[in-house]
Amino acid sequence: MPRKEQGWITFQTSEEERKILEEFCQDSQRTKTEILRELVRGLNKPQVLQASIPTKQPHSENYETPVQEISIPRKALKVSSRNILKGVVKKVVTGAVNCEVTLEIVHKVELTSMITRTSVEDLGLVEGEEAYAVIKSNDIVIAKE
């Protein structure tokens, strides 16, 4: 039997909740442990959207654009790709427009991708953080001389 000091957590769920978790795991091709760890880690990182809403002040021809913070619940991202590899960001080389992001998938196996600088900032990609490589390809060509 697992001991508490080993980091095990046991909790009860309804049949419906178990089905939701199992379907999500199957769709995302991740384990229950990975999903639950991701949820726990996300608890201290609330997702906030800043929205600018133009308003016209009474007796004024000037428009003001106050910024409002709107809390948005997180939803699981569904993708058609079935090649989803979890890794750790090893390097981010920032350019003027694009960035080169390297993920270490397993020991000494790395994947590098060029993505926009805006995407790097929006995703919060920094060295040491977990991220996923999502690979979509119609052809994979293997050659030999």
Side-chain angles (χ1 to χ4, degrees), residues 71-86:
S71 184
I72 299 176
R74 290 184 176 209
K75 276 186 141 180
L77 177 66
K78 291 189 176 187
V79 293
S80 62
S81 299
R82 291 296 173 233
N83 300 306
I84 302 171
L85 306 171
K86 188 175 185 178

Side-chain angles (χ1 to χ4, degrees), residues 35-123:
I35 299 300
L36 295 173
R37 280 185 183 145
E38 186 177 322
L39 288 170
V40 169
R41 289 177 186 146
L43 291 175
N44 63 356
K45 298 178 186 177
Q47 187 174 5
V48 174
L49 172 69
Q50 289 190 344
S52 296
I53 303 170
T55 58
K56 187 174 182 180
Q57 298 299 316
H59 309 294
S60 171
E61 294 182 12
N62 297 329
Y63 283 90
E64 292 184 11
T65 309
V67 175
Q68 294 183 348
E69 289 190 356
I70 303 167
S71 184
I72 299 176
R74 290 184 176 209
K75 276 186 141 180
L77 177 66
K78 291 189 176 187
V79 293
S80 62
S81 299
R82 291 296 173 233
N83 300 306
I84 302 171
L85 306 171
K86 188 175 185 178
V88 175
V89 177
K90 283 297 174 186
K91 182 171 56 169
V92 178
V93 179
T94 305
V97 177
N98 291 325
C99 295
E100 184 179 289
V101 179
T102 302
L103 293 183
E104 183 177 61
I105 305 305
V106 293
H107 183 65
K108 294 188 179 182
V109 176
E110 296 179 347
L111 293 175
T112 302
S113 179
M114 291 293 290
I115 64 174
T116 64
R117 186 177 184 164
T118 303
S119 293
V120 168
E121 292 167 0
D122 289 348
L123 293 170

